[in-house]
Amino acid sequence: MTSAKEWPLFEVFIRSRNGLSHKHVGSLHAADQDMALDNARDVYTRRGEGVSIWVVPSAAITASDPGDKESLFEPTANKIYRHPTFYPIPDEVKNI
Amino acid sequence: MTPAQTETARDADMPDDTLAALETRRLARFQARVDADEKIEPVDWMPEGYRKTLIRQISQHAHSEVVGMLPEGNWIGRAPSLRRKAVLLAKVQDEGGHGLYLYAAAETLGVTRQEMVEQLLAGTAKYSSIFNYPTLSWADIGAIGWLVDGAAIMNQVPICRCSFGPYARAMQRICKEESFHQRQGYEIMLHLSRGTAAQKQMAQEALDRWWWPSLMMFGPPDGESQHGAQGMAWKIKLVGNDELRQKFVDVTVPQADYLGLTMPDPDLRWNDATGHYAFGAIDWDEFKRVVKGGGPVSRDRMKARRKAYDDGAWVREAALAHAAKKRARRAQLADAG
């Protein structure tokens, strides 16, 4: 058995219909971006799941470290004044 | 290096007792997240056993999808009508797709596609024993859709809620697509059982062949299941083998009645007290033999997979070479521009 080089990994994003953003649906291997698009069409849109596909080399994605979760996302928990419900408005007043 | 690996690398500098305390704390935190129905994602810390169990389970599942294309592929060229042929092609293509979703989910745990494929071809990885049985007549395609895909759905629906995010997401896609497989199979059986006496006989023989192997698909009884309790605690396994098997029997027996076919089990009868069908003893020796590669067509299946892999080697290499050439040409054009 030859242990040939693996085809690189791509992440696949699909826009299910116009007006919605592309959403991550999974990943696949392909020799290059053109083949990744072809494969994504076959693997992820066999039942009219989309109108547009993005493929991105997985190696090109920079992700946040789960260890930084607290320092990144915790501070927003005590800024409840960023939510409209923080401000009581009398019932008589109409919402905008 | 993934963030979780960075965390492990940092641990290397710590004294042993500090490390042990840290490990206990992490385990407790992990279990608390699982208990609270939080999803675990690939970058999160996880016990090595959880990672290994998932890699084994997801890759076996992927292998089953891929090997599962073979018994049905056998009938694509001989489907009795163009409609049946188009349906079967679509179904087999789905199985290939399901294998790909699952391989991708397993890869997020740090195993490579190449490693998994090599394990399958070397015979060190298992796949569902059901695919080691031959498809002797067209009715077998009906029985497979109805019973094998039916059993697969029963097994898979709970996994849509499993604790590992990528596996749960892959299963959700698969379950959505799988119900067509089951219905087209039942439709074939319905057609045959409403046909000539010979066609009905064909359907009955297919049912006789596939009924017991389908019941084995749920795995050994819970008491003897190797990975049961830990899998339940980790929410990789959500419902016990016996419960799922019973549910499957309860659903399929009335479906067989509707077809006018008889289950090949003299002990099968409705039990008013339990509210379930009681059924005869399963031949677990046969199951063990088939899982270990001693099924009627196990060797043919592996031979077909190895041949596909070897015959495809030049294509995989050529595609990489072509991609490199295209990249070089694009770079050249960019420079010239």
Side-chain angles (χ1 to χ4, degrees), chain A residues 9 27 29, chain B residues 58-67 96-109 111-113 116-117 120 170 305:
Chain A
L9 194 65
S27 42
H29 288 273
Chain B
I58 302 175
S59 64
Q60 276 178 15
H61 196 156
H63 298 327
S64 301
E65 298 281 357
V66 170
V67 178
H98 296 174
L100 292 178
Y101 304 157
L102 289 162
Y103 280 131
E107 284 177 78
T108 66
L109 290 160
V111 66
T112 66
R113 179 79 54 98
M116 288 186 280
V117 170
L120 172 68
R305 285 315 313 156

Side-chain angles (χ1 to χ4, degrees), chain B residues 81-103:
Chain B
S81 70
L82 189 57
R83 174 179 180 269
R84 295 287 185 207
K85 187 174 187 165
V87 168
L88 189 55
L89 263 176
K91 180 178 191 287
V92 172
Q93 194 193 5
D94 273 354
E95 313 292 5
H98 296 174
L100 292 178
Y101 304 157
L102 289 162
Y103 280 131

Side-chain angles (χ1 to χ4, degrees), chain B residues 107-215:
Chain B
E107 284 177 78
T108 66
L109 290 160
V111 66
T112 66
R113 179 79 54 98
Q114 185 77 19
E115 283 168 328
M116 288 186 280
V117 170
E118 279 171 13
Q119 283 165 5
L120 172 68
L121 299 182
T124 53
K126 287 186 201 153
Y127 58 89
S128 181
S129 61
I130 195 86
F131 302 117
N132 289 325
Y133 292 88
T135 40
L136 302 179
S137 81
W138 169 251
D140 286 357
I141 300 305
I144 288 181
W146 172 34
L147 300 172
V148 176
D149 289 279
I153 292 172
M154 288 240 163
N155 267 328
Q156 289 168 355
V157 165
I159 310 177
C160 295
R161 295 179 281 117
C162 82
S163 60
F164 186 56
Y167 192 25
R169 291 191 287 273
M171 286 318 308
Q172 286 157 17
R173 290 188 74 86
I174 290 173
C175 285
K176 243 194 267 173
E177 299 180 353
E178 199 88 50
S179 69
F180 126 64
H181 298 179
Q182 203 261 345
R183 291 171 73 126
Q184 65 85 36
Y186 193 74
E187 193 206 31
I188 291 174
M189 294 302 273
L190 195 59
H191 211 76
L192 290 172
S193 61
R194 297 280 181 276
T196 63
Q199 285 173 321
K200 188 168 179 183
Q201 173 74 18
M202 210 163 99
Q204 179 63 53
E205 284 168 7
L207 172 56
D208 293 348
R209 278 194 286 275
W210 293 92
W211 175 246
W212 290 107
S214 298
L215 293 190

Side-chain angles (χ1 to χ4, degrees), chain B residues 235-251:
Chain B
K235 292 193 186 166
I236 293 174
K237 188 167 185 56
L238 291 107
V239 185
N241 295 351
D242 293 321
E243 186 184 336
L244 287 169
R245 185 164 21 240
Q246 184 66 58
K247 205 172 150 195
F248 176 74
V249 172
D250 290 346
V251 171

Side-chain angles (χ1 to χ4, degrees), chain A residues 1-9 25 27 29 31-35 42-44 46-47 49 64-66, chain B residues 3 43-44 93-94 97 100-101 104 107 112-114 118 121 173 177 180 309 316 319-320 323 326 330:
Chain A
M1 203 176 302
T2 51
S3 204
K5 211 176 139 228
E6 272 205 29
W7 287 351
L9 194 65
V25 292
S27 42
H29 288 273
D32 64 6
Q33 60 268 45
D34 300 328
M35 188 196 267
D42 288 344
V43 178
Y44 290 105
R46 287 194 303 281
R47 287 176 176 77
E49 288 93 338
S64 64
D65 185 329
Chain B
V43 291
D44 295 338
Q93 194 193 5
D94 273 354
L100 292 178
Y101 304 157
E107 284 177 78
T112 66
R113 179 79 54 98
Q114 185 77 19
E118 279 171 13
L121 299 182
R173 290 188 74 86
E177 299 180 353
F180 126 64
Y309 185 79
R316 293 191 295 276
L320 273 180
K326 273 199 296 185
R330 271 185 197 143

